[in-house]
Amino acid sequence: MNTLFKHYWGSLLFTAVCFIAAAIYAWSGSGSVSGVAQVLWIVLVLSILEISLSFDNAVVNATVLREMDEKWQRRFLTWGILIAVFGMRIIFPLAIVAIAAKLDPLSAINLSLNDPQRYEEIVSGAHVGIAGFGGAFLTMVGLSFFFDGDKDVDWIRGLELWLRRFSEIQAAEIGILLVILYTVSTMLSDGDALVFMTAGVLGLVTYIAVDAIGTVLDKVERRKMAEGAVRSGLGGFLYLEVLDASFSFDGVIGAFALSNNMIIIAIGLSIGALFVRSMTVHLVRAGTLTKYRFLEHGAFWAIIALGLIMLLSAQFHIPETITGLIGAVLIGISLLWSMRYNRRHGAEEESA
């Protein structure tokens, strides 16, 4: 219990402050207890939505962070969370409105505060492009994990072995993604199809660019290590920031199903984002990914599912509840499978 509190006390304190701020804001607007209760309920649901959609994000964050030195871990968990909370949950929707409506930043803020209905319409209207970019990037993240010839642990053994064989074909995962993008684009109108394909290709290019930067920086750092320097993690930091941005797209768009008030959305999603940060720290410090060998696999399958759902959402409305539930189920099953593996092999070691 003390260990859990150690990792989550900051998020709990932040949650309390946010709920107090939300209550004050609601009271100033409605002046009634029912109005305050309604706003607090929306904030609670938004924070749970963000956590459920981003738990697999925490697992992947922990996977990358454990390879980084402590200095870069601290930088991601401080600067990175500031970018995640304020950049993607607040500035990103405003940037969409400013670009789509050809407004300056101050006018976009004014629109969000004084005409939330119009603000919601503009953000929702950009959903096709967001779905293409975010879905493509997340799908590539998931596929690249399984199209890895050096991977030596398999959870869904037959399927993962089959995918690993395809890793011998260069850029096979890119070809699969392009086929998926084209298939979804055929369901859209001509205008939306062009936006979707363009955004999807940009998501793919972004993944390749971030991966390339990480590879170059990794080579430089390994060279420094040979000379006695400590390996850092700038490439991993950039990768995690883009990954978090892609995860946040779904939560930001889905938040408008509950409220079109920018302040309420920002408070609810920020609480969820900080809890994801705490879960990431917990996973790294407790060595959870080492203890549960298939947990990482479940997270990457959940990322593929989220990426595909995001791509399909350009045409079909898929409730965020289903999206979060699929990720939670995949991660839960992989955790149970890992515990089963530990029990079985622990018994074998004892008998040996």
mmCIF file with all atom_site columns, all heavy atoms in Angstrom, residues 50 54 57 81 83-93 119 244-245 247-248 252 262 265-266 268-270 272-273 276:
data_model
loop_
_atom_site.group_PDB
_atom_site.id
_atom_site.type_symbol
_atom_site.label_atom_id
_atom_site.label_alt_id
_atom_site.label_comp_id
_atom_site.label_asym_id
_atom_site.label_entity_id
_atom_site.label_seq_id
_atom_site.pdbx_PDB_ins_code
_atom_site.Cartn_x
_atom_site.Cartn_y
_atom_site.Cartn_z
_atom_site.occupancy
_atom_site.B_iso_or_equiv
_atom_site.pdbx_formal_charge
_atom_site.auth_seq_id
_atom_site.auth_comp_id
_atom_site.auth_asym_id
_atom_site.auth_atom_id
_atom_site.pdbx_PDB_model_num
ATOM 1   N N   . GLU A 1 50  ? -9.768  8.710  -20.192 1.00 0.00 ? 50  GLU A N   1
ATOM 2   C CA  . GLU A 1 50  ? -8.375  8.910  -20.598 1.00 0.00 ? 50  GLU A CA  1
ATOM 3   C C   . GLU A 1 50  ? -7.481  7.792  -20.077 1.00 0.00 ? 50  GLU A C   1
ATOM 4   O O   . GLU A 1 50  ? -6.604  7.295  -20.805 1.00 0.00 ? 50  GLU A O   1
ATOM 5   C CB  . GLU A 1 50  ? -7.890  10.267 -20.074 1.00 0.00 ? 50  GLU A CB  1
ATOM 6   C CG  . GLU A 1 50  ? -6.452  10.607 -20.421 1.00 0.00 ? 50  GLU A CG  1
ATOM 7   C CD  . GLU A 1 50  ? -6.238  10.891 -21.898 1.00 0.00 ? 50  GLU A CD  1
ATOM 8   O OE1 . GLU A 1 50  ? -7.233  10.983 -22.643 1.00 0.00 ? 50  GLU A OE1 1
ATOM 9   O OE2 . GLU A 1 50  ? -5.074  11.019 -22.311 1.00 0.00 ? 50  GLU A OE2 1
ATOM 10  N N   . SER A 1 54  ? -5.464  4.942  -22.354 1.00 0.00 ? 54  SER A N   1
ATOM 11  C CA  . SER A 1 54  ? -4.014  5.167  -22.368 1.00 0.00 ? 54  SER A CA  1
ATOM 12  C C   . SER A 1 54  ? -3.221  4.209  -21.499 1.00 0.00 ? 54  SER A C   1
ATOM 13  O O   . SER A 1 54  ? -2.020  4.405  -21.320 1.00 0.00 ? 54  SER A O   1
ATOM 14  C CB  . SER A 1 54  ? -3.708  6.609  -21.935 1.00 0.00 ? 54  SER A CB  1
ATOM 15  O OG  . SER A 1 54  ? -4.311  7.552  -22.799 1.00 0.00 ? 54  SER A OG  1
ATOM 16  N N   . ASN A 1 57  ? -0.596  2.813  -23.374 1.00 0.00 ? 57  ASN A N   1
ATOM 17  C CA  . ASN A 1 57  ? 0.430   3.835  -23.562 1.00 0.00 ? 57  ASN A CA  1
ATOM 18  C C   . ASN A 1 57  ? 1.431   3.794  -22.413 1.00 0.00 ? 57  ASN A C   1
ATOM 19  O O   . ASN A 1 57  ? 2.645   3.919  -22.625 1.00 0.00 ? 57  ASN A O   1
ATOM 20  C CB  . ASN A 1 57  ? -0.247  5.218  -23.621 1.00 0.00 ? 57  ASN A CB  1
ATOM 21  C CG  . ASN A 1 57  ? 0.714   6.332  -24.014 1.00 0.00 ? 57  ASN A CG  1
ATOM 22  O OD1 . ASN A 1 57  ? 1.830   6.078  -24.446 1.00 0.00 ? 57  ASN A OD1 1
ATOM 23  N ND2 . ASN A 1 57  ? 0.282   7.553  -23.845 1.00 0.00 ? 57  ASN A ND2 1
ATOM 24  N N   . ILE A 1 81  ? 5.480   15.234 -19.340 1.00 0.00 ? 81  ILE A N   1
ATOM 25  C CA  . ILE A 1 81  ? 4.100   15.299 -18.845 1.00 0.00 ? 81  ILE A CA  1
ATOM 26  C C   . ILE A 1 81  ? 3.533   16.700 -19.029 1.00 0.00 ? 81  ILE A C   1
ATOM 27  O O   . ILE A 1 81  ? 2.332   16.876 -19.255 1.00 0.00 ? 81  ILE A O   1
ATOM 28  C CB  . ILE A 1 81  ? 4.023   14.849 -17.367 1.00 0.00 ? 81  ILE A CB  1
ATOM 29  C CG1 . ILE A 1 81  ? 2.577   14.475 -17.010 1.00 0.00 ? 81  ILE A CG1 1
ATOM 30  C CG2 . ILE A 1 81  ? 4.525   15.915 -16.428 1.00 0.00 ? 81  ILE A CG2 1
ATOM 31  C CD1 . ILE A 1 81  ? 2.022   13.313 -17.789 1.00 0.00 ? 81  ILE A CD1 1
ATOM 32  N N   . ILE A 1 83  ? 4.235   18.633 -21.571 1.00 0.00 ? 83  ILE A N   1
ATOM 33  C CA  . ILE A 1 83  ? 3.840   18.654 -22.989 1.00 0.00 ? 83  ILE A CA  1
ATOM 34  C C   . ILE A 1 83  ? 2.556   17.862 -23.186 1.00 0.00 ? 83  ILE A C   1
ATOM 35  O O   . ILE A 1 83  ? 1.649   18.276 -23.917 1.00 0.00 ? 83  ILE A O   1
ATOM 36  C CB  . ILE A 1 83  ? 4.970   18.080 -23.866 1.00 0.00 ? 83  ILE A CB  1
ATOM 37  C CG1 . ILE A 1 83  ? 6.215   18.984 -23.777 1.00 0.00 ? 83  ILE A CG1 1
ATOM 38  C CG2 . ILE A 1 83  ? 4.516   17.941 -25.322 1.00 0.00 ? 83  ILE A CG2 1
ATOM 39  C CD1 . ILE A 1 83  ? 7.438   18.399 -24.437 1.00 0.00 ? 83  ILE A CD1 1
ATOM 40  N N   . ALA A 1 84  ? 2.461   16.701 -22.507 1.00 0.00 ? 84  ALA A N   1
ATOM 41  C CA  . ALA A 1 84  ? 1.283   15.841 -22.663 1.00 0.00 ? 84  ALA A CA  1
ATOM 42  C C   . ALA A 1 84  ? 0.026   16.526 -22.137 1.00 0.00 ? 84  ALA A C   1
ATOM 43  O O   . ALA A 1 84  ? -1.023  16.513 -22.788 1.00 0.00 ? 84  ALA A O   1
ATOM 44  C CB  . ALA A 1 84  ? 1.512   14.524 -21.932 1.00 0.00 ? 84  ALA A CB  1
ATOM 45  N N   . VAL A 1 85  ? 0.133   17.142 -20.936 1.00 0.00 ? 85  VAL A N   1
ATOM 46  C CA  . VAL A 1 85  ? -1.051  17.737 -20.306 1.00 0.00 ? 85  VAL A CA  1
ATOM 47  C C   . VAL A 1 85  ? -1.434  19.037 -20.984 1.00 0.00 ? 85  VAL A C   1
ATOM 48  O O   . VAL A 1 85  ? -2.570  19.224 -21.427 1.00 0.00 ? 85  VAL A O   1
ATOM 49  C CB  . VAL A 1 85  ? -0.807  17.965 -18.791 1.00 0.00 ? 85  VAL A CB  1
ATOM 50  C CG1 . VAL A 1 85  ? -1.939  18.778 -18.186 1.00 0.00 ? 85  VAL A CG1 1
ATOM 51  C CG2 . VAL A 1 85  ? -0.683  16.627 -18.075 1.00 0.00 ? 85  VAL A CG2 1
ATOM 52  N N   . PHE A 1 86  ? -0.477  19.966 -21.080 1.00 0.00 ? 86  PHE A N   1
ATOM 53  C CA  . PHE A 1 86  ? -0.809  21.292 -21.595 1.00 0.00 ? 86  PHE A CA  1
ATOM 54  C C   . PHE A 1 86  ? -0.753  21.358 -23.123 1.00 0.00 ? 86  PHE A C   1
ATOM 55  O O   . PHE A 1 86  ? -1.550  22.057 -23.740 1.00 0.00 ? 86  PHE A O   1
ATOM 56  C CB  . PHE A 1 86  ? 0.137   22.331 -20.985 1.00 0.00 ? 86  PHE A CB  1
ATOM 57  C CG  . PHE A 1 86  ? -0.006  22.461 -19.507 1.00 0.00 ? 86  PHE A CG  1
ATOM 58  C CD1 . PHE A 1 86  ? 0.943   21.913 -18.655 1.00 0.00 ? 86  PHE A CD1 1
ATOM 59  C CD2 . PHE A 1 86  ? -1.101  23.098 -18.944 1.00 0.00 ? 86  PHE A CD2 1
ATOM 60  C CE1 . PHE A 1 86  ? 0.813   22.003 -17.276 1.00 0.00 ? 86  PHE A CE1 1
ATOM 61  C CE2 . PHE A 1 86  ? -1.245  23.196 -17.571 1.00 0.00 ? 86  PHE A CE2 1
ATOM 62  C CZ  . PHE A 1 86  ? -0.284  22.653 -16.737 1.00 0.00 ? 86  PHE A CZ  1
ATOM 63  N N   . GLY A 1 87  ? 0.181   20.603 -23.708 1.00 0.00 ? 87  GLY A N   1
ATOM 64  C CA  . GLY A 1 87  ? 0.303   20.654 -25.162 1.00 0.00 ? 87  GLY A CA  1
ATOM 65  C C   . GLY A 1 87  ? -0.820  19.948 -25.881 1.00 0.00 ? 87  GLY A C   1
ATOM 66  O O   . GLY A 1 87  ? -1.557  20.543 -26.669 1.00 0.00 ? 87  GLY A O   1
ATOM 67  N N   . MET A 1 88  ? -0.998  18.648 -25.562 1.00 0.00 ? 88  MET A N   1
ATOM 68  C CA  . MET A 1 88  ? -1.939  17.841 -26.329 1.00 0.00 ? 88  MET A CA  1
ATOM 69  C C   . MET A 1 88  ? -3.376  17.954 -25.831 1.00 0.00 ? 88  MET A C   1
ATOM 70  O O   . MET A 1 88  ? -4.309  17.795 -26.598 1.00 0.00 ? 88  MET A O   1
ATOM 71  C CB  . MET A 1 88  ? -1.499  16.373 -26.307 1.00 0.00 ? 88  MET A CB  1
ATOM 72  C CG  . MET A 1 88  ? -0.186  16.125 -27.023 1.00 0.00 ? 88  MET A CG  1
ATOM 73  S SD  . MET A 1 88  ? -0.101  16.901 -28.664 1.00 0.00 ? 88  MET A SD  1
ATOM 74  C CE  . MET A 1 88  ? -1.511  16.173 -29.456 1.00 0.00 ? 88  MET A CE  1
ATOM 75  N N   . ARG A 1 89  ? -3.582  18.212 -24.547 1.00 0.00 ? 89  ARG A N   1
ATOM 76  C CA  . ARG A 1 89  ? -4.953  18.278 -24.025 1.00 0.00 ? 89  ARG A CA  1
ATOM 77  C C   . ARG A 1 89  ? -5.548  19.679 -24.101 1.00 0.00 ? 89  ARG A C   1
ATOM 78  O O   . ARG A 1 89  ? -6.756  19.834 -24.001 1.00 0.00 ? 89  ARG A O   1
ATOM 79  C CB  . ARG A 1 89  ? -4.994  17.782 -22.573 1.00 0.00 ? 89  ARG A CB  1
ATOM 80  C CG  . ARG A 1 89  ? -5.141  16.281 -22.432 1.00 0.00 ? 89  ARG A CG  1
ATOM 81  C CD  . ARG A 1 89  ? -3.872  15.561 -22.784 1.00 0.00 ? 89  ARG A CD  1
ATOM 82  N NE  . ARG A 1 89  ? -3.984  14.111 -22.664 1.00 0.00 ? 89  ARG A NE  1
ATOM 83  C CZ  . ARG A 1 89  ? -2.982  13.281 -22.930 1.00 0.00 ? 89  ARG A CZ  1
ATOM 84  N NH1 . ARG A 1 89  ? -1.818  13.748 -23.331 1.00 0.00 ? 89  ARG A NH1 1
ATOM 85  N NH2 . ARG A 1 89  ? -3.151  11.975 -22.823 1.00 0.00 ? 89  ARG A NH2 1
ATOM 86  N N   . ILE A 1 90  ? -4.707  20.699 -24.253 1.00 0.00 ? 90  ILE A N   1
ATOM 87  C CA  . ILE A 1 90  ? -5.215  22.075 -24.280 1.00 0.00 ? 90  ILE A CA  1
ATOM 88  C C   . ILE A 1 90  ? -4.849  22.776 -25.587 1.00 0.00 ? 90  ILE A C   1
ATOM 89  O O   . ILE A 1 90  ? -5.713  23.258 -26.324 1.00 0.00 ? 90  ILE A O   1
ATOM 90  C CB  . ILE A 1 90  ? -4.665  22.874 -23.078 1.00 0.00 ? 90  ILE A CB  1
ATOM 91  C CG1 . ILE A 1 90  ? -5.116  22.226 -21.758 1.00 0.00 ? 90  ILE A CG1 1
ATOM 92  C CG2 . ILE A 1 90  ? -5.135  24.326 -23.135 1.00 0.00 ? 90  ILE A CG2 1
ATOM 93  C CD1 . ILE A 1 90  ? -4.514  22.852 -20.529 1.00 0.00 ? 90  ILE A CD1 1
ATOM 94  N N   . ILE A 1 91  ? -3.544  22.810 -25.903 1.00 0.00 ? 91  ILE A N   1
ATOM 95  C CA  . ILE A 1 91  ? -3.086  23.569 -27.078 1.00 0.00 ? 91  ILE A CA  1
ATOM 96  C C   . ILE A 1 91  ? -3.475  22.883 -28.377 1.00 0.00 ? 91  ILE A C   1
ATOM 97  O O   . ILE A 1 91  ? -3.840  23.537 -29.357 1.00 0.00 ? 91  ILE A O   1
ATOM 98  C CB  . ILE A 1 91  ? -1.561  23.776 -27.000 1.00 0.00 ? 91  ILE A CB  1
ATOM 99  C CG1 . ILE A 1 91  ? -1.223  24.616 -25.777 1.00 0.00 ? 91  ILE A CG1 1
ATOM 100 C CG2 . ILE A 1 91  ? -1.045  24.452 -28.271 1.00 0.00 ? 91  ILE A CG2 1
ATOM 101 C CD1 . ILE A 1 91  ? 0.258   24.787 -25.538 1.00 0.00 ? 91  ILE A CD1 1
ATOM 102 N N   . PHE A 1 92  ? -3.426  21.548 -28.402 1.00 0.00 ? 92  PHE A N   1
ATOM 103 C CA  . PHE A 1 92  ? -3.732  20.817 -29.639 1.00 0.00 ? 92  PHE A CA  1
ATOM 104 C C   . PHE A 1 92  ? -5.141  21.098 -30.180 1.00 0.00 ? 92  PHE A C   1
ATOM 105 O O   . PHE A 1 92  ? -5.292  21.431 -31.358 1.00 0.00 ? 92  PHE A O   1
ATOM 106 C CB  . PHE A 1 92  ? -3.522  19.312 -29.411 1.00 0.00 ? 92  PHE A CB  1
ATOM 107 C CG  . PHE A 1 92  ? -4.094  18.439 -30.477 1.00 0.00 ? 92  PHE A CG  1
ATOM 108 C CD1 . PHE A 1 92  ? -3.573  18.442 -31.760 1.00 0.00 ? 92  PHE A CD1 1
ATOM 109 C CD2 . PHE A 1 92  ? -5.173  17.600 -30.216 1.00 0.00 ? 92  PHE A CD2 1
ATOM 110 C CE1 . PHE A 1 92  ? -4.115  17.634 -32.749 1.00 0.00 ? 92  PHE A CE1 1
ATOM 111 C CE2 . PHE A 1 92  ? -5.713  16.797 -31.196 1.00 0.00 ? 92  PHE A CE2 1
ATOM 112 C CZ  . PHE A 1 92  ? -5.185  16.816 -32.463 1.00 0.00 ? 92  PHE A CZ  1
ATOM 113 N N   . PRO A 1 93  ? -6.194  20.978 -29.352 1.00 0.00 ? 93  PRO A N   1
ATOM 114 C CA  . PRO A 1 93  ? -7.526  21.308 -29.893 1.00 0.00 ? 93  PRO A CA  1
ATOM 115 C C   . PRO A 1 93  ? -7.632  22.763 -30.366 1.00 0.00 ? 93  PRO A C   1
ATOM 116 O O   . PRO A 1 93  ? -8.299  23.040 -31.369 1.00 0.00 ? 93  PRO A O   1
ATOM 117 C CB  . PRO A 1 93  ? -8.466  21.044 -28.699 1.00 0.00 ? 93  PRO A CB  1
ATOM 118 C CG  . PRO A 1 93  ? -7.724  20.131 -27.809 1.00 0.00 ? 93  PRO A CG  1
ATOM 119 C CD  . PRO A 1 93  ? -6.294  20.518 -27.952 1.00 0.00 ? 93  PRO A CD  1
ATOM 120 N N   . TYR A 1 119 ? -16.922 25.644 -31.537 1.00 0.00 ? 119 TYR A N   1
ATOM 121 C CA  . TYR A 1 119 ? -15.599 25.075 -31.268 1.00 0.00 ? 119 TYR A CA  1
ATOM 122 C C   . TYR A 1 119 ? -15.633 23.557 -31.423 1.00 0.00 ? 119 TYR A C   1
ATOM 123 O O   . TYR A 1 119 ? -14.766 22.958 -32.065 1.00 0.00 ? 119 TYR A O   1
ATOM 124 C CB  . TYR A 1 119 ? -15.195 25.471 -29.849 1.00 0.00 ? 119 TYR A CB  1
ATOM 125 C CG  . TYR A 1 119 ? -13.909 24.874 -29.337 1.00 0.00 ? 119 TYR A CG  1
ATOM 126 C CD1 . TYR A 1 119 ? -12.674 25.397 -29.715 1.00 0.00 ? 119 TYR A CD1 1
ATOM 127 C CD2 . TYR A 1 119 ? -13.925 23.798 -28.443 1.00 0.00 ? 119 TYR A CD2 1
ATOM 128 C CE1 . TYR A 1 119 ? -11.498 24.866 -29.218 1.00 0.00 ? 119 TYR A CE1 1
ATOM 129 C CE2 . TYR A 1 119 ? -12.753 23.259 -27.948 1.00 0.00 ? 119 TYR A CE2 1
ATOM 130 C CZ  . TYR A 1 119 ? -11.544 23.800 -28.331 1.00 0.00 ? 119 TYR A CZ  1
ATOM 131 O OH  . TYR A 1 119 ? -10.376 23.269 -27.843 1.00 0.00 ? 119 TYR A OH  1
ATOM 132 N N   . ASP A 1 244 ? 2.636   9.664  -27.417 1.00 0.00 ? 244 ASP A N   1
ATOM 133 C CA  . ASP A 1 244 ? 1.625   10.201 -26.508 1.00 0.00 ? 244 ASP A CA  1
ATOM 134 C C   . ASP A 1 244 ? 0.649   11.101 -27.251 1.00 0.00 ? 244 ASP A C   1
ATOM 135 O O   . ASP A 1 244 ? -0.550  11.093 -26.974 1.00 0.00 ? 244 ASP A O   1
ATOM 136 C CB  . ASP A 1 244 ? 2.296   10.991 -25.379 1.00 0.00 ? 244 ASP A CB  1
ATOM 137 C CG  . ASP A 1 244 ? 1.283   11.565 -24.402 1.00 0.00 ? 244 ASP A CG  1
ATOM 138 O OD1 . ASP A 1 244 ? 0.787   10.799 -23.559 1.00 0.00 ? 244 ASP A OD1 1
ATOM 139 O OD2 . ASP A 1 244 ? 0.969   12.760 -24.502 1.00 0.00 ? 244 ASP A OD2 1
ATOM 140 N N   . ALA A 1 245 ? 1.174   11.870 -28.207 1.00 0.00 ? 245 ALA A N   1
ATOM 141 C CA  . ALA A 1 245 ? 0.297   12.739 -29.004 1.00 0.00 ? 245 ALA A CA  1
ATOM 142 C C   . ALA A 1 245 ? -0.724  11.903 -29.766 1.00 0.00 ? 245 ALA A C   1
ATOM 143 O O   . ALA A 1 245 ? -1.916  12.236 -29.807 1.00 0.00 ? 245 ALA A O   1
ATOM 144 C CB  . ALA A 1 245 ? 1.129   13.576 -29.967 1.00 0.00 ? 245 ALA A CB  1
ATOM 145 N N   . PHE A 1 247 ? -1.844  8.907  -29.010 1.00 0.00 ? 247 PHE A N   1
ATOM 146 C CA  . PHE A 1 247 ? -2.807  8.354  -28.063 1.00 0.00 ? 247 PHE A CA  1
ATOM 147 C C   . PHE A 1 247 ? -3.823  9.393  -27.635 1.00 0.00 ? 247 PHE A C   1
ATOM 148 O O   . PHE A 1 247 ? -4.993  9.085  -27.410 1.00 0.00 ? 247 PHE A O   1
ATOM 149 C CB  . PHE A 1 247 ? -2.089  7.816  -26.824 1.00 0.00 ? 247 PHE A CB  1
ATOM 150 C CG  . PHE A 1 247 ? -1.691  6.379  -26.926 1.00 0.00 ? 247 PHE A CG  1
ATOM 151 C CD1 . PHE A 1 247 ? -0.395  6.027  -27.230 1.00 0.00 ? 247 PHE A CD1 1
ATOM 152 C CD2 . PHE A 1 247 ? -2.615  5.377  -26.728 1.00 0.00 ? 247 PHE A CD2 1
ATOM 153 C CE1 . PHE A 1 247 ? -0.013  4.693  -27.325 1.00 0.00 ? 247 PHE A CE1 1
ATOM 154 C CE2 . PHE A 1 247 ? -2.251  4.043  -26.822 1.00 0.00 ? 247 PHE A CE2 1
ATOM 155 C CZ  . PHE A 1 247 ? -0.948  3.700  -27.125 1.00 0.00 ? 247 PHE A CZ  1
ATOM 156 N N   . SER A 1 248 ? -3.390  10.637 -27.504 1.00 0.00 ? 248 SER A N   1
ATOM 157 C CA  . SER A 1 248 ? -4.282  11.676 -26.977 1.00 0.00 ? 248 SER A CA  1
ATOM 158 C C   . SER A 1 248 ? -5.363  12.078 -27.973 1.00 0.00 ? 248 SER A C   1
ATOM 159 O O   . SER A 1 248 ? -6.399  12.602 -27.584 1.00 0.00 ? 248 SER A O   1
ATOM 160 C CB  . SER A 1 248 ? -3.473  12.916 -26.571 1.00 0.00 ? 248 SER A CB  1
ATOM 161 O OG  . SER A 1 248 ? -2.972  13.594 -27.702 1.00 0.00 ? 248 SER A OG  1
ATOM 162 N N   . VAL A 1 252 ? -9.161  13.231 -26.837 1.00 0.00 ? 252 VAL A N   1
ATOM 163 C CA  . VAL A 1 252 ? -9.605  14.610 -27.052 1.00 0.00 ? 252 VAL A CA  1
ATOM 164 C C   . VAL A 1 252 ? -10.887 14.643 -27.879 1.00 0.00 ? 252 VAL A C   1
ATOM 165 O O   . VAL A 1 252 ? -11.852 15.347 -27.541 1.00 0.00 ? 252 VAL A O   1
ATOM 166 C CB  . VAL A 1 252 ? -8.503  15.441 -27.741 1.00 0.00 ? 252 VAL A CB  1
ATOM 167 C CG1 . VAL A 1 252 ? -9.041  16.798 -28.182 1.00 0.00 ? 252 VAL A CG1 1
ATOM 168 C CG2 . VAL A 1 252 ? -7.327  15.644 -26.796 1.00 0.00 ? 252 VAL A CG2 1
ATOM 169 N N   . MET A 1 262 ? -14.125 23.665 -23.104 1.00 0.00 ? 262 MET A N   1
ATOM 170 C CA  . MET A 1 262 ? -12.691 23.410 -23.170 1.00 0.00 ? 262 MET A CA  1
ATOM 171 C C   . MET A 1 262 ? -12.075 23.255 -21.788 1.00 0.00 ? 262 MET A C   1
ATOM 172 O O   . MET A 1 262 ? -11.199 22.409 -21.569 1.00 0.00 ? 262 MET A O   1
ATOM 173 C CB  . MET A 1 262 ? -11.994 24.541 -23.914 1.00 0.00 ? 262 MET A CB  1
ATOM 174 C CG  . MET A 1 262 ? -10.505 24.300 -24.149 1.00 0.00 ? 262 MET A CG  1
ATOM 175 S SD  . MET A 1 262 ? -9.606  25.805 -24.568 1.00 0.00 ? 262 MET A SD  1
ATOM 176 C CE  . MET A 1 262 ? -9.500  26.610 -22.969 1.00 0.00 ? 262 MET A CE  1
ATOM 177 N N   . ILE A 1 265 ? -13.036 19.829 -20.257 1.00 0.00 ? 265 ILE A N   1
ATOM 178 C CA  . ILE A 1 265 ? -12.320 18.770 -20.985 1.00 0.00 ? 265 ILE A CA  1
ATOM 179 C C   . ILE A 1 265 ? -10.859 18.749 -20.563 1.00 0.00 ? 265 ILE A C   1
ATOM 180 O O   . ILE A 1 265 ? -10.289 17.685 -20.290 1.00 0.00 ? 265 ILE A O   1
ATOM 181 C CB  . ILE A 1 265 ? -12.448 18.981 -22.504 1.00 0.00 ? 265 ILE A CB  1
ATOM 182 C CG1 . ILE A 1 265 ? -13.877 18.679 -22.956 1.00 0.00 ? 265 ILE A CG1 1
ATOM 183 C CG2 . ILE A 1 265 ? -11.451 18.097 -23.254 1.00 0.00 ? 265 ILE A CG2 1
ATOM 184 C CD1 . ILE A 1 265 ? -14.129 18.980 -24.419 1.00 0.00 ? 265 ILE A CD1 1
ATOM 185 N N   . ALA A 1 266 ? -10.229 19.926 -20.498 1.00 0.00 ? 266 ALA A N   1
ATOM 186 C CA  . ALA A 1 266 ? -8.813  20.003 -20.135 1.00 0.00 ? 266 ALA A CA  1
ATOM 187 C C   . ALA A 1 266 ? -8.571  19.462 -18.726 1.00 0.00 ? 266 ALA A C   1
ATOM 188 O O   . ALA A 1 266 ? -7.603  18.729 -18.491 1.00 0.00 ? 266 ALA A O   1
ATOM 189 C CB  . ALA A 1 266 ? -8.326  21.449 -20.230 1.00 0.00 ? 266 ALA A CB  1
ATOM 190 N N   . GLY A 1 268 ? -10.466 17.236 -16.978 1.00 0.00 ? 268 GLY A N   1
ATOM 191 C CA  . GLY A 1 268 ? -10.675 15.788 -16.936 1.00 0.00 ? 268 GLY A CA  1
ATOM 192 C C   . GLY A 1 268 ? -9.562  15.005 -17.596 1.00 0.00 ? 268 GLY A C   1
ATOM 193 O O   . GLY A 1 268 ? -9.040  14.031 -17.026 1.00 0.00 ? 268 GLY A O   1
ATOM 194 N N   . LEU A 1 269 ? -9.146  15.430 -18.789 1.00 0.00 ? 269 LEU A N   1
ATOM 195 C CA  . LEU A 1 269 ? -8.093  14.704 -19.514 1.00 0.00 ? 269 LEU A CA  1
ATOM 196 C C   . LEU A 1 269 ? -6.738  14.853 -18.834 1.00 0.00 ? 269 LEU A C   1
ATOM 197 O O   . LEU A 1 269 ? -5.910  13.942 -18.884 1.00 0.00 ? 269 LEU A O   1
ATOM 198 C CB  . LEU A 1 269 ? -8.016  15.195 -20.959 1.00 0.00 ? 269 LEU A CB  1
ATOM 199 C CG  . LEU A 1 269 ? -9.253  14.939 -21.836 1.00 0.00 ? 269 LEU A CG  1
ATOM 200 C CD1 . LEU A 1 269 ? -8.988  15.383 -23.271 1.00 0.00 ? 269 LEU A CD1 1
ATOM 201 C CD2 . LEU A 1 269 ? -9.660  13.464 -21.808 1.00 0.00 ? 269 LEU A CD2 1
ATOM 202 N N   . SER A 1 270 ? -6.500  16.005 -18.205 1.00 0.00 ? 270 SER A N   1
ATOM 203 C CA  . SER A 1 270 ? -5.226  16.220 -17.515 1.00 0.00 ? 270 SER A CA  1
ATOM 204 C C   . SER A 1 270 ? -5.080  15.276 -16.326 1.00 0.00 ? 270 SER A C   1
ATOM 205 O O   . SER A 1 270 ? -3.985  14.756 -16.057 1.00 0.00 ? 270 SER A O   1
ATOM 206 C CB  . SER A 1 270 ? -5.113  17.675 -17.046 1.00 0.00 ? 270 SER A CB  1
ATOM 207 O OG  . SER A 1 270 ? -5.084  18.554 -18.155 1.00 0.00 ? 270 SER A OG  1
ATOM 208 N N   . GLY A 1 272 ? -6.414  12.294 -16.098 1.00 0.00 ? 272 GLY A N   1
ATOM 209 C CA  . GLY A 1 272 ? -6.098  10.992 -16.683 1.00 0.00 ? 272 GLY A CA  1
ATOM 210 C C   . GLY A 1 272 ? -4.660  10.898 -17.143 1.00 0.00 ? 272 GLY A C   1
ATOM 211 O O   . GLY A 1 272 ? -3.981  9.889  -16.916 1.00 0.00 ? 272 GLY A O   1
ATOM 212 N N   . ALA A 1 273 ? -4.157  11.977 -17.779 1.00 0.00 ? 273 ALA A N   1
ATOM 213 C CA  . ALA A 1 273 ? -2.783  11.977 -18.287 1.00 0.00 ? 273 ALA A CA  1
ATOM 214 C C   . ALA A 1 273 ? -1.773  11.834 -17.151 1.00 0.00 ? 273 ALA A C   1
ATOM 215 O O   . ALA A 1 273 ? -0.755  11.137 -17.284 1.00 0.00 ? 273 ALA A O   1
ATOM 216 C CB  . ALA A 1 273 ? -2.516  13.264 -19.063 1.00 0.00 ? 273 ALA A CB  1
ATOM 217 N N   . VAL A 1 276 ? -1.624  8.293  -15.959 1.00 0.00 ? 276 VAL A N   1
ATOM 218 C CA  . VAL A 1 276 ? -0.852  7.476  -16.899 1.00 0.00 ? 276 VAL A CA  1
ATOM 219 C C   . VAL A 1 276 ? 0.634   7.623  -16.608 1.00 0.00 ? 276 VAL A C   1
ATOM 220 O O   . VAL A 1 276 ? 1.406   6.656  -16.641 1.00 0.00 ? 276 VAL A O   1
ATOM 221 C CB  . VAL A 1 276 ? -1.175  7.870  -18.357 1.00 0.00 ? 276 VAL A CB  1
ATOM 222 C CG1 . VAL A 1 276 ? -0.223  7.179  -19.327 1.00 0.00 ? 276 VAL A CG1 1
ATOM 223 C CG2 . VAL A 1 276 ? -2.609  7.508  -18.693 1.00 0.00 ? 276 VAL A CG2 1
#
